[in-house]
Amino acid sequence: MKNPSLVIVDVQEKLFSAMYQKETFMKNLIVLIKGFQLYNLPIMLTEQTPEKLGPTIQPIISLFPDTKPIRKSTFSCAE
């Protein structure tokens, strides 16, 4: 990989509560985020209509003290 980047898509309160094996997912996601941060690689964070689905869950957003999630209203991150 020449230019890796990480896109964290919609890990929000209402969506997270419905995920299968959510604790394992969260643990693995935290490891992935910390690895990208260790190598200073780019990370983007999105939130789907946070006013309806809630913000990004605290264990994840706490890893980004200086980052604001990209708010979106479609189920796409292409734009």
Side-chain angles (χ1 to χ4, degrees):
M1 253 192 291
K2 285 189 173 191
N3 299 306
S5 62
L6 177 62
V7 181
I8 302 167
V9 180
D10 308 345
V11 185
Q12 294 165 254
E13 292 172 353
K14 287 188 180 178
L15 299 173
F16 182 75
S17 66
M19 288 182 187
Y20 175 72
Q21 295 186 346
K22 60 187 168 204
E23 296 306 321
T24 300
F25 168 76
M26 183 171 47
K27 186 171 100 176
N28 291 335
L29 182 56
I30 289 170
V31 169
L32 184 61
I33 291 167
K34 288 181 178 184
F36 267 71
Q37 289 174 331
L38 179 67
Y39 289 100
N40 201 28
L41 295 170
I43 302 172
M44 292 173 278
L45 180 65
T46 69
E47 289 181 344
Q48 173 73 27
T49 54
E51 63 279 359
K52 294 179 183 175
L53 300 175
T56 300
I57 60 172
Q58 189 57 40
I60 302 303
I61 198 69
S62 68
L63 298 173
F64 300 96
D66 300 323
T67 301
K68 279 195 160 198
I70 299 166
R71 297 177 71 152
K72 59 191 188 66
S73 59
T74 60
F75 281 110
S76 172
C77 291
E79 291 183 34

